[in-house]
Amino acid sequence: MEEAISDQRETRQQEEAANNVQERRRKGGLITMPFIIANEAFEKVASYGLVTNMILYLMKDYHLGVAKGTNVLFFWTAATNFMPILGAFLSDSYLGRFLTIGLASFCSLLGMFLLWLTAMIPKVKPSPCNILTQSCESPTTAQMTLLISSFCFISIGAGGIRPCSIAFGADQLDRKDNPNNERVLESFFGWYYATSAIAVVIALTAIVYIQDHLGWKVGFGVPAILMVLSLLLFFIASPLYVKLKASSSLLTGFAQVAVVAYKNRKLALPPPNASWCYHRQKDSLLIVPTSKLRFLNKACLIRNPEQDIAPDGSALNPWSLCTIEQVEELKALIKVLPFQNSFPLLQASSMDRHVTSSFQIPAGSFGTFTIITLAAWVVLYDRVLIPVASKMKGKPVRLGVKLRMGIGLFLSCMGMVVSGLVENIRRRRAIREGYLNNGQAVLEMSAMWLVPQHCLNGLAEAFNAIAQTEFFYSEFPKSMSSIAASLFGLGMAVANLLASAIVSAVDDITSKGGKESWVSSNINKGRYDNYYWLLAIMSLVNLVYFLVCSWAYGPCVDRVTSVGDEGNDVKDEEEELLHLGNSRVGNEGNGLKKEESFS
């Protein structure tokens, strides 16, 4: 009787799997790409276009000082970078990617509408400063609440859209039966990042130009209109999408692993290759858990097969027995965690930004040089340097992800050094021209002096940001792809909170005794060059910290794969994953043991 029930259950599962395959063949594909990419691109244009000039809006219309205004922006940016973690967990565990992106788009639109209202309705922000008395009203609690609420809704929207869009797009194209599947996905990722870069460039040029020349009413209204288009385009294609259901809660899975590992803490671990002792999912490519963080392996130990395992192969009580996959998901998260600015705008505002006698670059658009450098380097690296190096060496050549991350951190440190040098020269020029007490004066010094530091920052991001994203994707299980996409943003969020704390500390310490603060609202009286030197020192310390973490982590998954491919030309994707799973298990007699990513 039990065998018959088991056969029926297995038949139903096979039929459901076949139906899912047919459903995926009917839906998805390249036709959905313009809608998904457009949704992400319009959100980026809208949100980045708002952030760039926001320090000027806070100072001029809300009468906030530069330190307070910068802190508001730091906290906003931190919230925007933290929220993708929450959005990724909700998407992968409960809502699914389609619903998460849809709800997040509504939140972004609501936030932009509220921000537009602050520009349209005079009563919701402080009255203009009195020119005669030189006095300015501070914003009321209600006025600040409306402003901060708009920021919060925009952050919530970004938290749902950014980690899910790239994974949702991959869902439409990822078909194992397609022999060109890998090439299709590679093309999608390329177009995705290219579109994102173009969106940021548009935000830093067109949107900033509109704000500078047509005012905040139009400047905030255009991003809101773009967000409406983003929302419409995304939902118009709803019948065409492949909408995968969310898996079980990752947070619950993490908690189960921790609880079961603690319950089994007194059990001895079996020999490394004793695969029969561990519980794993059906058709799992992982035979035994990896050797790093071995205390968690006790969570998937089978103590009594008759009492622990159901007839269908699942655990009777997930709070008493976990799968190898659950254990490895938590390990991946724990292992990568250790690997995790408004002042240039003021500089540009005080310098000559004219390209011709009638046209000048908006101060907020100088960040475009960062994006252009990033995009140019990606094309040069991918299409010229790597192919030429591979041809010269006679075999495929590539820089490892950790090496690229290290190079990026070094270039970031150099960017701070150059920023300090340029600011020191700019400040001395301002004093020499008699503008010490006039922070709004425009010097006879070209703002093109700022281009090198932006280029260095672009190169730093091209190396570090892209390598970090690739690192998280390669080290995380596929069931956590949304979370992997959000981890770089988590690092940025921590960095913004730290930056806010640094600005506040520097402002408090350097202004004691009636002295002028290093980050004074008067950029000529302040000492922003000293602030950049401080950031350069901290960047150097961060580089040393990264080197220590990199050494402790050991080789990455991509190195295991490359070593395995030298001895075994594996073409099929499932065979590659199986080979990787076996290498993680560790075979005492093979040469991969030295290159094992988790050992």
Side-chain angles (χ1 to χ4, degrees), residues 88-160:
F89 272 112
L90 288 175
S91 169
D92 287 348
S93 302
Y94 301 107
L95 301 178
R97 296 184 182 112
F98 173 77
L99 186 57
T100 302
I101 295 173
L103 292 175
S105 298
F106 274 115
C107 287
S108 282
L109 177 59
L110 178 58
M112 291 174 191
F113 177 73
L114 291 177
L115 185 61
W116 176 69
L117 288 182
T118 67
M120 292 297 295
I121 304 175
K123 294 291 185 182
V124 299
K125 61 184 177 183
S127 302
C129 296
N130 190 315
I131 300 176
L132 297 177
T133 61
Q134 293 293 311
S135 60
C136 299
E137 290 182 10
S138 297
T140 65
T141 301
Q143 290 169 342
M144 286 301 295
T145 298
L146 179 62
L147 179 69
I148 299 301
S149 296
S150 70
F151 293 166
C152 289
F153 278 112
I154 293 172
S155 295
I156 292 171

Side-chain angles (χ1 to χ4, degrees), residues 391-583:
K391 188 174 182 180
M392 291 176 63
K393 295 280 288 186
K395 61 180 181 179
V397 174
R398 65 186 295 268
L399 297 177
V401 290
K402 289 195 292 186
L403 175 60
R404 281 182 279 151
M405 288 160 66
I407 293 173
L409 292 175
F410 174 76
L411 290 173
S412 177
C413 181
M414 290 298 99
M416 291 299 103
V417 171
V418 172
S419 297
L421 289 171
V422 171
E423 171 55 22
N424 185 269
I425 294 170
R426 189 211 63 80
R427 183 175 181 274
R428 284 192 283 113
R429 177 75 66 87
I431 295 173
R432 192 163 59 243
E433 294 181 11
Y435 294 134
L436 178 62
N437 296 315
N438 185 2
Q440 305 297 321
V442 177
L443 311 181
E444 293 182 7
M445 177 180 178
S446 174
M448 292 301 156
W449 277 75
L450 302 176
V451 172
Q453 67 195 54
H454 285 292
C455 290
L456 279 171
N457 290 334
L459 281 175
E461 189 165 352
F463 277 99
N464 186 41
I466 296 175
Q468 272 202 47
T469 303
E470 183 180 336
F471 172 74
F472 294 139
Y473 263 100
S474 63
E475 299 298 304
F476 269 54
K478 296 302 179 187
S479 59
M480 299 173 67
S481 57
S482 295
I483 294 174
S486 67
L487 279 182
F488 179 73
L490 175 63
M492 292 297 293
V494 174
N496 277 285
L497 289 178
L498 180 60
S500 177
I502 293 171
V503 170
S504 297
V506 168
D507 188 40
D508 291 340
I509 294 172
T510 59
S511 61
K512 286 182 178 179
K515 297 179 182 178
E516 193 73 32
S517 168
W518 281 6
V519 289
S520 169
S521 296
N522 184 333
I523 190 174
N524 296 332
K525 281 189 173 182
R527 292 306 304 265
Y528 287 82
D529 50 347
N530 291 345
Y531 174 77
Y532 283 126
W533 300 134
L534 176 63
L535 292 183
I537 294 171
M538 296 185 70
S539 297
L540 183 60
V541 173
N542 185 44
L543 176 59
V544 174
Y545 168 76
F546 167 78
L547 293 175
V548 173
C549 289
S550 180
W551 171 80
Y553 188 89
C556 297
V557 168
D558 63 339
R559 288 194 61 192
V560 179
T561 305
S562 63
V563 172
D565 286 347
E566 289 176 6
N568 187 12
D569 186 21
V570 182
K571 296 297 183 184
D572 185 78
E573 181 180 1
E574 292 187 1
E575 291 181 10
E576 287 184 359
L577 291 172
L578 181 59
H579 183 69
L580 178 57
N582 289 335
S583 71

Side-chain angles (χ1 to χ4, degrees), residues 314-452:
S314 62
L316 285 171
N317 183 1
W319 292 95
S320 296
L321 178 64
C322 300
T323 63
I324 296 175
E325 288 73 18
Q326 285 178 290
V327 172
E328 292 306 315
E329 285 171 354
L330 180 57
K331 283 184 181 181
L333 183 63
I334 293 172
K335 285 165 50 183
V336 302
L337 285 181
F339 286 96
Q340 322 262 287
N341 166 353
S342 299
F343 299 127
L345 180 63
L346 298 180
Q347 283 182 308
S349 298
S350 68
M351 301 169 78
D352 182 9
R353 294 173 277 116
H354 281 89
V355 178
T356 67
S357 58
S358 59
F359 176 77
Q360 65 175 357
I361 302 174
S365 294
F366 273 81
T368 305
F369 290 104
T370 300
I371 306 301
I372 292 174
T373 303
L374 184 154
W377 172 256
V378 169
V379 173
L380 183 66
Y381 173 82
D382 189 56
R383 299 298 179 187
V384 179
L385 296 181
I386 292 301
V388 169
S390 299
K391 188 174 182 180
M392 291 176 63
K393 295 280 288 186
K395 61 180 181 179
V397 174
R398 65 186 295 268
L399 297 177
V401 290
K402 289 195 292 186
L403 175 60
R404 281 182 279 151
M405 288 160 66
I407 293 173
L409 292 175
F410 174 76
L411 290 173
S412 177
C413 181
M414 290 298 99
M416 291 299 103
V417 171
V418 172
S419 297
L421 289 171
V422 171
E423 171 55 22
N424 185 269
I425 294 170
R426 189 211 63 80
R427 183 175 181 274
R428 284 192 283 113
R429 177 75 66 87
I431 295 173
R432 192 163 59 243
E433 294 181 11
Y435 294 134
L436 178 62
N437 296 315
N438 185 2
Q440 305 297 321
V442 177
L443 311 181
E444 293 182 7
M445 177 180 178
S446 174
M448 292 301 156
W449 277 75
L450 302 176
V451 172

Side-chain angles (χ1 to χ4, degrees), residues 232-304:
L232 290 175
L233 286 172
F234 181 73
F235 280 106
I236 282 173
S238 177
L240 304 175
Y241 296 140
V242 172
K243 301 170 187 175
L244 301 182
K245 294 181 179 179
S247 60
S248 59
S249 170
L250 288 171
L251 287 175
T252 302
F254 294 159
Q256 288 169 344
V257 172
V259 169
V260 179
Y262 178 77
K263 284 182 178 179
N264 296 344
R265 65 190 183 281
K266 295 182 179 179
L267 296 180
L269 287 170
N273 293 327
S275 59
W276 60 89
C277 296
Y278 296 102
H279 178 49
R280 56 196 179 109
Q281 295 176 354
K282 276 188 175 182
D283 304 321
S284 172
L285 297 175
L286 290 173
I287 300 173
V288 296
T290 55
S291 58
K292 281 286 182 75
L293 303 173
R294 294 177 71 243
F295 65 93
L296 293 176
N297 293 352
K298 296 181 180 183
C300 55
L301 274 178
I302 301 173
R303 292 176 295 183
N304 188 328

